[in-house]
Amino acid sequence: MAKVKKRLVKEEDNRANSVIYYELIGLVAIFLAIIIFNELGTIGYYSRLFLKVMFGDWYWVINIFIFLTGVRLIYKHDYIDYHSLRVIGATSVVLALLMLSHVKVFEYLERTNENVLYGTWNYYISYLTTKSSDFILGGGLLGGIFYTLINFLLGSFGTVLISLLMLFSGISFLFEKTIHESLVGINKTFSKTFNNFSSLKKFFKYEINRNEKITKNVKEKTRKKLTLTEKEVKYDFNLQENVSKVISVDIKQILYSLNINFTSYHYKTNYAFTAYIFDVRGNFDKDKTFSKIKKLTNDLAIVFYNLKKNRVKIEIPNTYVKNLNLKNFYNPKVENCLTLGVESENKLKYLNLKEEGCLLVAGSYQNENIAYINMLLLEIIYKYSKNDYEFWFLDKKNNFRNFFGQRFDSFEEILKQSSEIIDLRMYEKRNKNIFIVLNNFEEYYHYKYESKFMFNLQTSVSTNIYYLINSNRVIEQQSLINFIQNKIVLKMHNYDLSEQLTKSDYGIHLQKSGDILYVYKGGVKRIYAPIVSTREVEKYYK
């Protein structure tokens, strides 16, 4: 354990050094983009001229790309993955625009009866000589080369057709969708527009003179019904299974190339990742094997090696990830429970409010913590009628501003009011459910509140008061951590926090986007949950 801790500390130091490196390059990229955009000095003048000759009238797109690359390096501290679907889509869109823009230049060159490639070169040399604003730059030298090549093979009409296909497929890839999914989406959009138009016609024909008043309760039910009629996510694993199978073969080839004997080789595809598991026999060069596997997956793989069992487990995020929605979770037949996520066996995991209603949500990515609590709060809205629950918020950063409820300014105030309600409810059988959301808990918690808060936690469940606590840093009070038995652990960066919450370093090995650990009295369970953004909450309330 100490060796692992030292290794993680070393990795943190390396990461800190690389952060400065990425930020410096990012600043240089942003500065260069500004210089080119404003044509500042000799560098700005000739850089802009170069981009115009290479990319024609679309040179500004490349300038924006340089600027956004700099912003990304500063924000994410990582280079762009040029193998990603979005980058391939952006490249396809740019090439299509360059070729389509080169049509007029090509027509002009045909009239001059010059050799196309030689004529293209002379055309842009003439622009460099005169720098006249009358020149149509088209797609630049790059667009001219691609246009000439495809035009030679397929003719003018074929070139335009290929360009349009590249444009459509590129836009699909930009939104991380296959061409088939985009075509289905277009069909659905047209069908929805036609249905809305038909409904509008019926409205004007039959219902324009109706003056019926709709009560608030009916509105609330309609809103819930409309939200829940959203189609349930159907997981078609065919595409992912094909990808996983190819990666499985690649991993085998790596093992064969290193002369590693292995048995019991198999893989299993879950919602968020695919796990490849095998047992090692004989010599095993762990570092070299892990290094090659990381290169295969662009450092996305998480690799575990059980020394006692000689078992290796490799987890790789799925290429085709489909986020779950609340339709997959909502189960009105299960009373007094909140659904926390889906287990690897595709079974739902519940939190029994009557027995274990307080929950701590912790992780290094604050936006994912918020997204998970969003999911729980929306599920509460679905499960209960408006008269059966209320929300209390201690949320200084205003992350839950879209939810209606009582707002508090201090932890002391919320403790005092909850204590008073607990005293009043001790002898009542039926009480309204109160869900208390404490956001960024570590910022305002103090040891002087510990005894009172412990008492509230211990008695709140029996009086229908439930705490949802969000924290993204190490909480010094270990007794409080141990007292709150039910915890949701998301992706971690901090070894100590992972150790504190899960009694292991497993939190730092979790994938993102809904891959979580549920820590409870009976042990630790790995589950997968939907990510509900603040924007989706806003849509619900609209």
Side-chain angles (χ1 to χ4, degrees):
M1 192 66 73
K3 287 182 179 179
V4 174
K5 191 169 183 179
K6 285 180 182 177
R7 177 176 59 79
L8 289 169
V9 170
K10 188 177 179 181
E11 287 179 2
E12 287 292 331
D13 292 338
N14 293 335
R15 190 180 292 114
N17 292 330
S18 63
V19 164
I20 298 171
Y21 168 75
Y22 287 124
E23 290 194 348
L24 283 173
I25 296 177
L27 286 171
V28 170
I30 291 171
F31 188 56
L32 180 63
I34 293 170
I35 288 173
I36 296 172
F37 182 77
N38 294 288
E39 210 169 336
L40 301 175
T42 306
I43 294 175
Y45 176 76
Y46 283 107
S47 297
R48 189 168 185 172
L49 203 61
F50 173 76
L51 290 181
K52 280 186 174 182
V53 171
M54 289 303 298
F55 299 97
D57 294 323
W58 295 96
Y59 74 95
W60 55 271
V61 175
I62 307 304
N63 199 36
I64 290 173
F65 172 76
I66 295 170
F67 181 83
L68 293 178
T69 301
V71 173
R72 188 184 190 280
L73 285 170
I74 292 173
Y75 180 68
K76 290 198 172 182
H77 303 137
D78 192 15
Y79 289 117
I80 292 173
D81 179 11
Y82 289 97
H83 298 286
S84 70
L85 201 60
R86 281 185 172 173
V87 173
I88 294 170
T91 306
S92 180
V93 168
V94 169
L95 285 177
L97 292 174
L98 293 181
M99 287 193 292
L100 289 171
S101 301
H102 201 73
V103 172
K104 287 188 177 180
V105 177
F106 189 81
E107 288 175 352
Y108 166 77
L109 293 173
E110 278 189 323
R111 289 197 297 271
T112 62
N113 296 319
E114 278 191 283
N115 177 278
V116 178
L117 285 175
Y118 184 70
T120 302
W121 174 258
N122 285 337
Y123 183 82
Y124 288 105
I125 290 295
S126 299
Y127 168 73
L128 286 173
T129 306
T130 61
K131 301 178 184 64
S132 172
S133 57
D134 295 332
F135 268 78
I136 298 171
L137 295 175
L141 278 174
L142 195 64
I145 291 168
F146 279 95
Y147 186 94
T148 304
L149 179 64
I150 298 176
N151 183 72
F152 176 75
L153 297 171
L154 302 173
S156 299
F157 179 75
T159 307
V160 173
L161 185 62
I162 290 293
S163 300
L164 291 173
L165 288 172
M166 286 176 65
L167 186 65
F168 178 74
S169 61
I171 293 170
S172 298
F173 296 156
L174 276 172
F175 291 96
E176 294 187 325
K177 291 184 177 181
T178 62
I179 296 172
H180 171 73
E181 288 173 332
S182 296
L183 290 171
V184 171
I186 291 170
N187 182 45
K188 286 181 179 178
T189 302
F190 276 113
S191 300
K192 188 177 179 181
T193 305
F194 179 77
N195 292 336
N196 290 339
F197 181 71
S198 300
S199 301
L200 192 65
K201 282 171 65 180
K202 289 179 183 178
F203 174 78
F204 280 106
K205 189 173 181 180
Y206 300 112
E207 301 182 16
I208 194 69
N209 295 320
R210 292 179 62 183
N211 294 317
E212 293 180 340
K213 293 183 179 179
I214 303 174
T215 63
K216 290 183 178 179
N217 289 334
V218 173
K219 281 184 178 179
E220 184 187 353
K221 287 178 182 177
T222 306
R223 183 179 63 194
K224 289 183 180 182
K225 184 179 179 182
L226 286 172
T227 306
L228 288 174
T229 52
E230 181 185 351
K231 287 188 178 180
E232 185 174 353
V233 177
K234 298 293 184 184
Y235 281 87
D236 182 3
F237 286 115
N238 290 335
L239 286 173
Q240 184 55 48
E241 277 288 347
N242 292 335
V243 174
S244 300
K245 189 174 182 180
V246 170
I247 294 174
S248 174
V249 173
D250 290 338
I251 292 173
K252 279 185 179 180
Q253 291 298 328
I254 289 172
L255 298 176
Y256 288 137
S257 67
L258 296 172
N259 296 320
I260 295 171
N261 295 320
F262 58 92
T263 58
S264 305
Y265 186 90
H266 65 282
Y267 67 90
K268 183 178 181 181
T269 302
N270 296 316
Y271 278 106
F273 63 90
T274 300
Y276 303 84
I277 304 165
F278 56 89
D279 294 332
V280 178
R281 295 287 178 267
N283 295 327
F284 178 57
D285 192 334
K286 183 180 70 173
D287 294 334
K288 191 177 286 188
T289 306
F290 290 0
S291 174
K292 287 203 170 189
I293 289 170
K294 288 273 189 179
K295 284 181 181 178
L296 172 68
T297 61
N298 296 322
D299 288 327
L300 294 175
I302 294 174
V303 187
F304 306 90
Y305 177 46
N306 188 323
L307 189 60
K308 291 181 180 178
K309 295 183 178 179
N310 281 334
R311 176 162 293 174
V312 179
K313 182 180 180 184
I314 305 163
E315 291 181 1
I316 300 174
N318 289 339
T319 307
Y320 300 96
V321 176
K322 290 186 177 179
N323 288 335
L324 297 173
N325 56 37
L326 281 173
K327 180 68 177 176
N328 300 83
F329 281 67
Y330 183 61
N331 189 349
K333 296 179 181 179
V334 181
E335 297 181 356
N336 300 317
C337 287
L338 289 181
T339 314
L340 297 176
V342 180
E343 297 181 28
S344 58
E345 300 82 10
N346 298 342
K347 295 178 182 178
L348 295 176
K349 190 70 179 176
Y350 297 102
L351 174 75
N352 190 319
L353 292 173
K354 294 295 182 184
E355 296 177 6
E356 46 190 16
C358 297
L359 188 68
L360 172 67
V361 178
S364 297
Y365 295 89
Q366 177 71 351
N367 59 332
E368 287 220 347
N369 296 14
I370 298 299
Y372 188 80
I373 296 175
N374 280 343
M375 184 270 292
L376 293 177
L377 296 180
L378 282 181
E379 190 182 353
I380 290 166
I381 292 172
Y382 292 152
K383 192 169 284 287
Y384 298 99
S385 67
K386 196 172 182 180
N387 296 323
D388 289 336
Y389 77 92
E390 63 179 274
F391 293 139
W392 290 8
F393 295 100
L394 182 53
D395 179 24
K396 292 181 180 179
K397 295 192 176 180
N398 208 23
N399 285 310
F400 300 104
R401 60 186 175 278
N402 293 305
F403 290 97
F404 298 118
Q406 190 173 347
R407 309 283 164 174
F408 291 83
D409 296 323
S410 69
F411 186 49
E412 191 172 6
E413 183 185 355
I414 209 167
L415 270 182
K416 182 181 177 182
Q417 191 158 330
S418 59
S419 298
E420 290 173 357
I421 290 181
I422 287 171
D423 292 339
L424 291 171
R425 289 184 169 190
M426 289 298 285
Y427 303 103
E428 295 179 15
K429 290 184 178 180
R430 177 172 173 77
N431 296 299
K432 191 175 187 178
N433 295 297
I434 298 176
F435 295 92
I436 302 176
V437 180
L438 305 177
N439 191 27
N440 297 103
F441 182 67
E442 69 283 347
E443 292 185 9
Y444 44 74
Y445 184 77
H446 194 270
Y447 70 89
K448 67 181 179 180
Y449 303 127
E450 186 165 350
S451 58
K452 194 170 187 179
F453 186 51
M454 291 283 194
F455 174 77
N456 276 16
L457 286 173
Q458 196 169 13
T459 55
S460 61
V461 174
S462 59
T463 55
N464 291 50
I465 298 175
Y466 311 106
Y467 283 91
L468 296 175
I469 304 167
N470 173 36
S471 176
N472 63 335
R473 290 209 306 267
V474 177
I475 301 172
E476 294 178 359
Q477 285 72 21
Q478 185 65 42
S479 56
L480 178 63
I481 289 289
N482 293 333
F483 191 81
I484 304 175
Q485 294 180 345
N486 303 290
K487 308 174 188 73
I488 291 295
V489 179
L490 294 102
K491 176 76 174 178
M492 294 283 174
H493 278 163
N494 188 290
Y495 173 86
D496 292 326
L497 182 56
S498 178
E499 177 72 22
Q500 192 180 37
L501 293 168
T502 66
K503 306 303 179 188
S504 72
D505 64 344
Y506 200 86
I508 64 172
H509 299 304
L510 287 171
Q511 311 287 351
K512 290 186 68 180
S513 302
D515 184 25
I516 57 182
L517 291 176
Y518 173 44
V519 183
Y520 58 108
K521 193 174 181 180
V524 180
K525 198 79 177 177
R526 190 171 184 179
I527 56 179
Y528 183 64
I531 297 298
V532 181
S533 66
T534 304
R535 187 177 294 178
E536 288 176 274
V537 177
E538 289 173 354
K539 284 182 182 178
Y540 170 81
Y541 277 104
K542 284 179 182 178

